[in-house]
Amino acid sequence: MKIPLSSANVDLQSALSGKRRIIALNKKDLANPNIMRRWIQYFERSKQDSLSISAHSRSSVKELLTLVELKLKEVISREPTLLVMVVGVPNIGKSALINSIHRIAASRFPVQEKIKRATVGPLPGVTQDIAGYKIANQPSIYVLDTPGVLVPSIPDIETGLKLALTGAVKDSVVGEERLAKYFLAVLNNRSTPLHWKNLDNEERSRPPFDPRMRNKSILKHDVQRRKLLLDDSDVRYVEGFVKEVRRTLYATFSSFEGDLMEENELECLIDTQLAALQELFKISTKSEEGARTMVSKKLITLFRTGKLGPFVLDDVPDASGHIS
């Protein structure tokens, strides 16, 4: 979960206050584990049960189910039917979690009818109806997959950018270049590129990376390619691609002599970085705007798939509730 607070729906809090609830911090494989531990501690201080999970990991989802059963222990003994609802912003992994839960449930008790699967996809808005999936007998427990729910009005621009950057809002609504610039602003303000300094000191025993070496880029949505296992050359291609992006961002950041606290100077650095990435990707179009959009899409994809490293965009509030 890259945005534990920005993804919260304040308008639902009153409706959920009387319900048994668990905050599932999904996509833990894409987040910094040390920061995630701090988030778990934050929710513990707030008297809220939480667990960091990966919806595609069987062991992780089983751990979540154990916690759910514990929360429902009293009710299970007296209610013939229970409903469990999965609620969250769009594209956060709700349907993937439902499918994992259903697979685990199917292994625990016989299922007479064909197992229904929740529809998943890389874009927000795939789930459009509330659907129920039976996951247990005695008592009968149904889990409801719901469409992503956003607040009617986003409280501030930065929250909106975080939601869009993580895919809760369609990229076209905000604009890919604006999202890429926001991501670079976050990286630069945190001095993240400095962590990649040692890349230049690594032994370069492999041939130099060339984005033109293949037509089948990892950033293209090729259905047939996704079905194939990565071979060694593919892995080397991905690693080389990511290393060169990191080296480029480090080089531009380390040579920057301006003040990051000055908005205009930070924008100059970001423009320099986008131009350097455009050269790295060897993107050439008649339209500068079109080239920037293509660069931005590639950078956003690298962020969302965790290729550039684990990030949590939200800062953890301290004990007094202030952002640290």
Side-chain angles (χ1 to χ4, degrees), residues 2 158 165 179-196 242 245-250 252-254 260 266 269-270 273-274 277 299-300 302-303 307-313:
K2 297 176 183 291
E158 186 168 14
L165 184 56
L179 290 179
K181 284 185 172 182
Y182 172 69
F183 175 53
L184 288 173
V186 172
L187 287 185
N188 293 324
N189 282 321
R190 294 181 179 181
S191 299
T192 302
L194 290 181
H195 299 166
W196 302 328
V242 172
V245 171
R246 287 179 167 181
R247 285 193 183 101
T248 299
L249 294 179
Y250 166 71
T252 51
F253 182 85
S254 59
L260 291 175
L266 175 59
L269 170 60
I270 291 172
Q273 290 173 323
L274 287 175
L277 289 174
L299 185 62
I300 291 168
L302 289 174
F303 162 73
K307 297 294 189 300
L308 289 177
F311 294 98
V312 178
L313 297 176

Side-chain angles (χ1 to χ4, degrees), residues 58 62 101-111 115:
R58 184 181 180 90
K62 282 178 116 176
I101 291 174
H102 208 178
R103 281 192 293 270
I104 292 171
S107 67
R108 291 182 176 179
F109 69 93
V111 179
I115 294 179

Side-chain angles (χ1 to χ4, degrees), residues 10-156:
V10 179
D11 294 347
L12 287 177
Q13 300 309 307
S14 58
L16 297 174
S17 60
K19 307 292 184 182
R20 293 171 176 82
R21 180 169 54 144
I22 296 171
I23 298 173
L25 302 169
N26 191 28
K27 303 184 181 181
K28 70 176 184 179
D29 52 316
L30 302 181
N32 185 309
N34 293 325
I35 301 298
M36 288 310 299
R37 279 193 288 272
R38 292 178 58 197
W39 274 106
I40 295 295
Q41 293 168 357
Y42 165 75
F43 286 118
E44 286 177 353
R45 292 197 304 268
S46 304
K47 309 298 182 185
Q48 299 180 80
D49 290 314
S50 64
L51 185 69
S52 58
I53 68 164
S54 173
H56 297 287
S57 166
R58 184 181 180 90
S59 61
S60 182
V61 176
K62 282 178 116 176
E63 189 178 356
L64 175 63
L65 288 176
T66 299
L67 185 56
V68 170
E69 290 170 356
L70 182 62
K71 292 283 287 186
L72 295 176
K73 187 175 181 180
E74 297 178 14
V75 197
I76 286 175
S77 62
R78 66 173 187 268
E79 296 291 341
T81 302
L82 296 173
L83 294 179
V84 177
M85 183 176 289
V86 179
V87 180
V89 297
N91 204 31
I92 209 169
K94 297 183 298 298
S95 296
L97 176 58
I98 295 289
N99 287 332
S100 291
I101 291 174
H102 208 178
R103 281 192 293 270
I104 292 171
S107 67
R108 291 182 176 179
F109 69 93
V111 179
Q112 300 302 323
E113 74 274 8
K114 182 180 178 181
I115 294 179
K116 295 186 293 182
R117 296 193 182 279
T119 304
V120 299
L123 299 176
V126 173
T127 303
Q128 300 186 5
D129 298 304
I130 295 178
Y133 303 86
K134 189 173 184 179
I135 63 169
N137 285 326
Q138 299 178 346
S140 295
I141 300 179
Y142 293 85
V143 61
L144 301 183
D145 186 19
T146 63
V149 180
L150 282 173
V151 291
S153 60
I154 295 172
D156 55 75

Side-chain angles (χ1 to χ4, degrees), residues 201-259:
N201 299 326
E202 293 179 358
E203 182 179 357
R204 300 185 185 185
S205 58
R206 294 173 178 175
F209 170 77
D210 184 350
R212 296 173 300 179
M213 67 184 289
R214 296 166 182 252
N215 292 322
K216 49 180 184 178
S217 167
I218 59 166
L219 299 178
K220 292 180 180 178
H221 299 290
D222 187 326
V223 176
Q224 290 183 341
R225 175 157 174 76
R226 286 204 303 265
K227 293 179 180 179
L228 299 175
L229 292 175
L230 291 174
D231 59 25
D232 181 62
S233 62
D234 290 319
V235 172
R236 289 176 57 185
Y237 175 79
V238 174
E239 290 176 350
F241 186 92
V242 172
K243 282 183 180 179
E244 291 303 324
V245 171
R246 287 179 167 181
R247 285 193 183 101
T248 299
L249 294 179
Y250 166 71
T252 51
F253 182 85
S254 59
S255 62
F256 175 67
E257 297 180 351
D259 185 354

Side-chain angles (χ1 to χ4, degrees), residues 283-291:
I283 294 174
S284 177
T285 67
K286 294 180 180 179
S287 165
E288 180 64 23
E289 181 180 351

